[in-house]
Amino acid sequence: MTRIYLYDHCPFCVRASLVAGYKHVAFERVVLLNDDEKTCFDLIGAKMVPILEHDGALIGESLDICKRLDEIGDEKQIILPASGLDQQVADQLSQVGHAQWALSFPRVIRIGLPEFATEGAQAYFRSKKEKMLEMSFDDALANTGAHKNAVEQVLADLPKLPLPSERENRLSWDDVIIFPRLRGLTLVKGLEFPESIQTYLKEISSLTGVDLYFDRAI
Ligand SMILES: N[C@@H](CCC(=O)N[C@@H](CS)C(=O)NCC(=O)O)C(=O)O
């Protein structure tokens, strides 16, 4: 039995979903409510997802989960090695980390995701993230223009991301880091992605079955 406990919006969980999808691992997808602390504590002793349960063993770190999924999945679905691009992109995006949070946190509770199906789950998330942002969700939304500009400048400066279609439809370990950091931005209506990044996101999405939020953007 293979089961992954996750939140749909969580970038660390997306890492696991990418590898599971690409490697054709059959698993039960358990989306926890964001305020469900008990399930996480019972499983791994901390309020943290993703959590992989496989053959009675539990793993609570996303990259360890990805490695395990790589081992148990379809061996023909090779994941190409990391090239350093993952770190470069992560560093560039970190320059606008706060603006990225300010764009995505107040929106992600409004698009009907299962982890926010109750008012309690939404309130739990809001309270944690408003502290991280040091501003209310209302203020974050009111400053959308400035946050968008900052993020768009960094997106425009990102290096060219190799496409799966350019390398026999292979996923790479760079993609496991890069795609989850960009996916959350697809729920920001009107945010301008360079054409090449849009193509990258769509190709990785169709290769792995991990969806994007463009159709629900607000
Ligand atoms: N080091 C962990 C980090 C995972 C993580 O930070 N997960 C977030 C969700 S995005 C979490 O569970 N935070 C606690 C919470 O949401 O209450 C990993 O890579 O697996």
Side-chain angles (χ1 to χ4, degrees):
M1 187 273 295
T2 306
R3 183 181 283 156
I4 305 178
Y5 300 84
L6 49 74
Y7 309 137
D8 187 275
H9 75 278
C10 157
F12 304 98
C13 305
V14 171
R15 293 175 174 177
S17 298
L18 285 174
V19 176
Y22 175 72
K23 301 280 301 190
H24 308 144
V25 176
F27 69 101
E28 185 187 347
R29 187 174 189 270
V30 182
V31 183
L32 297 177
L33 282 170
N34 200 253
D35 60 343
D36 177 358
E37 297 187 333
K38 183 173 184 318
T39 304
C40 295
F41 272 102
D42 286 352
L43 290 167
I44 57 163
K47 168 66 165 67
M48 202 68 85
V49 289
I51 301 167
L52 172 71
E53 193 174 359
H54 176 72
D55 285 351
L58 290 158
I59 306 179
E61 269 297 318
S62 58
L63 291 179
D64 295 338
I65 292 172
C66 290
K67 281 188 203 127
R68 190 76 189 103
L69 292 168
D70 187 26
E71 287 163 6
I72 64 183
D74 182 346
E75 60 186 27
K76 291 194 287 301
Q77 290 293 92
I78 291 160
I79 306 181
L80 300 174
S83 70
L85 196 62
D86 52 347
Q87 203 46 56
Q88 189 184 338
V89 170
D91 288 347
Q92 282 179 256
L93 288 173
S94 293
Q95 293 165 21
V96 285
H98 184 270
Q100 255 193 287
W101 287 347
L103 289 170
S104 64
F105 290 161
R107 287 175 170 80
V108 81
I109 56 172
R110 299 173 179 213
I111 58 168
L113 297 178
E115 61 265 39
F116 300 120
T118 64
E119 279 184 20
Q122 290 181 28
Y124 179 95
F125 183 83
R126 175 190 287 264
S127 146
K128 268 196 171 178
K129 302 305 182 190
E130 285 186 338
K131 277 192 198 98
M132 273 172 80
L133 284 174
E134 298 180 329
M135 75 172 72
S136 70
F137 277 8
D138 287 345
D139 285 347
L141 287 170
N143 286 312
T144 291
H147 296 136
K148 258 185 179 171
N149 286 344
V151 169
E152 283 170 351
Q153 274 184 28
V154 168
L155 289 179
D157 284 345
L158 288 185
K160 158 95 177 75
L161 304 175
L163 300 172
S165 60
E166 294 166 347
R167 42 177 205 212
E168 298 173 332
N169 266 329
R170 299 285 183 215
L171 189 74
S172 76
W173 286 108
D174 289 333
D175 301 325
V176 174
I177 300 299
I178 294 169
F179 175 92
R181 297 195 64 137
L182 295 171
R183 176 183 180 249
L185 289 171
T186 67
L187 65 77
V188 184
K189 199 171 197 155
L191 184 87
E192 278 195 32
F193 285 91
E195 190 74 32
S196 61
I197 295 183
Q198 279 198 46
T199 307
Y200 171 81
L201 289 170
K202 288 175 186 166
E203 283 204 14
I204 299 285
S205 171
S206 71
L207 181 66
T208 60
V210 176
D211 62 0
L212 300 169
Y213 296 134
F214 285 124
D215 59 340
R216 282 159 281 175
I218 47 176

